[in-house]
Amino acid sequence: MLAIRHRNGKYYYSIFHNPISRVLKAKLFIKYFDFVDKRDTVLDYGSGDAPYKKMLIEYFDNYVSADYEVTNMKHNRRPEIGIDDDQKVDVGDNTFSCVVLSEVLEHIYKPHEALQEIRRIVVPEGYVIGTVPFFMWEHEKPYDFHRYTYFCLKHMFEENGFEIVKLDYVGDNLGVLTYIHSKFFGVFIKPLRTIKPLHFILKTLINLPGFIYYLLIKIKFVERLLKKYFGEYPFGFAFLIKKSKDQ
Ligand SMILES: C[S@@+](CC[C@H](N)C(=O)[O-])C[C@H]1O[C@@H](n2cnc3c(N)ncnc32)[C@H](O)[C@@H]1O
């Protein structure tokens, strides 16, 4: 579960408690909220453990969670409403001013059906904010179906009546390398979990390249250079899309 820290009136995801890919994606989410002018009700579609709930209730008057019953069972939180086998949600048209779709599209075998349904329930000119992984092992098996490219996402959103406001690459080759590094060496220290101080020290050392990467990309110039020359392998993508008025 993502750990949210609160400082100076702002929510942020700490690198010490979360995978770096998640921290970077959460930071983009926060940027995207600036675009969302209508802040009535937000739907967290595929809510799982609802890691963004705390943050979302700060931005919106009402928060509603929805999830697919079959896969939600693996999570700790139950949703307020269900999503059926055809990706439908039992609410009227134009109900939500924003829909959050965080790390969900890869689990939906028929993503076009989900996007059609989301288009139905979001208000005209309402927003969908979301993320998908690109570099990520199979997870929530056997309900892991897709890895999307930038171009697939673009086509898919436009085809289903959304205008793209932001579609961002998250991370780069170097970031992914630090991720693989911590995953690889993490396996070797797992048996030492019971020796807490030693495990903590080794874990910190293993995560060190990730921390250094994180500090490096805080320098905008470095982040831009890395994206330009080593951007082929992102952690994933983050998007802010808008339902067009005439849909
Ligand atoms: C990786 S979890 C992400 C959960 C949460 N949104 C987050 O950001 O941590 C994937 C979520 O997708 C949901 N899911 C799986 N298949 C789905 C489907 N067909 N329709 C809607 N949600 C689905 C799962 O129940 C789970 O909550």
Side-chain angles (χ1 to χ4, degrees):
M1 167 104 92
L2 282 177
I4 305 178
R5 296 286 174 276
H6 186 252
R7 195 174 60 196
N8 302 333
K10 278 193 175 163
Y11 285 97
Y12 72 101
Y13 289 82
S14 162
I15 178 84
F16 297 103
H17 299 88
N18 303 293
I20 190 161
S21 57
R22 275 289 195 158
V23 175
L24 299 181
K25 285 172 177 175
K27 277 174 175 279
L28 279 170
F29 261 33
I30 293 167
K31 268 196 192 160
Y32 293 168
F33 284 133
D34 285 345
F35 287 82
V36 181
D37 35 14
K38 297 177 202 121
R39 303 269 177 91
D40 309 334
T41 308
V42 62
L43 178 74
D44 193 353
Y45 188 100
S47 50
D49 289 325
Y52 292 111
K53 180 174 179 179
K54 251 189 186 170
M55 188 165 86
L56 291 170
I57 52 184
E58 287 290 312
Y59 283 95
F60 293 89
D61 296 339
N62 300 300
Y63 167 92
V64 179
S65 56
D67 211 347
Y68 181 47
E69 197 183 321
V70 182
T71 52
N72 175 263
M73 297 319 289
K74 287 191 179 166
H75 292 268
N76 297 322
R77 288 200 188 176
R78 304 283 80 88
E80 285 145 84
I81 50 180
I83 299 171
D84 72 16
D85 293 338
D86 299 319
Q87 298 306 139
K88 298 269 190 285
V89 179
D90 190 14
V91 296
D93 297 355
N94 308 329
T95 303
F96 301 102
S97 50
C98 184
V99 174
V100 167
L101 202 50
S102 156
E103 306 292 282
V104 178
L105 272 179
E106 75 273 21
H107 297 285
I108 303 178
Y109 188 64
K110 294 179 176 172
H112 290 266
E113 287 184 0
L115 288 171
Q116 287 291 327
E117 177 65 352
I118 291 170
R119 193 182 71 174
R120 180 186 75 76
I121 60 180
V122 79
V123 297
E125 298 199 291
Y127 288 92
V128 181
I129 292 179
T131 58
V132 287
F134 181 75
F135 176 81
M136 170 66 107
W137 51 91
E138 285 177 339
H139 56 291
E140 308 218 351
K141 293 181 203 179
Y143 298 94
D144 190 357
F145 301 112
H146 308 283
R147 292 294 176 270
Y148 301 97
T149 62
Y150 177 97
F151 306 98
C152 178
L153 289 170
K154 186 173 180 299
H155 275 285
M156 212 164 66
F157 295 147
E158 287 174 349
E159 230 170 78
N160 287 290
F162 292 96
E163 174 189 315
I164 291 161
V165 183
K166 295 269 177 197
L167 179 51
D168 290 305
Y169 283 75
V170 183
D172 50 57
N173 303 17
L174 184 61
V176 166
L177 261 183
T178 67
Y179 207 25
I180 297 174
H181 175 275
S182 61
K183 268 274 163 198
F184 180 80
F185 288 104
V187 170
F188 296 101
I189 65 162
K190 239 187 190 163
L192 302 172
R193 256 179 318 192
T194 45
I195 316 169
K196 285 209 165 122
L198 177 66
H199 186 263
F200 176 79
I201 293 167
L202 291 174
K203 199 176 159 200
T204 308
L205 284 175
I206 284 171
N207 287 336
L208 204 57
F211 296 155
I212 295 170
Y213 168 75
Y214 183 67
L215 293 179
L216 268 181
I217 60 164
K218 276 188 171 258
I219 307 165
K220 284 283 150 233
F221 171 68
V222 176
E223 190 187 21
R224 271 202 300 272
L225 271 186
L226 280 171
K227 278 224 170 108
K228 185 168 173 193
Y229 295 106
F230 301 104
E232 309 95 332
Y233 250 114
F235 288 126
F237 299 95
F239 51 86
L240 170 71
I241 55 177
K242 188 175 185 180
K243 173 174 161 179
S244 349
K245 216 184 219 166
D246 50 13
Q247 295 293 332

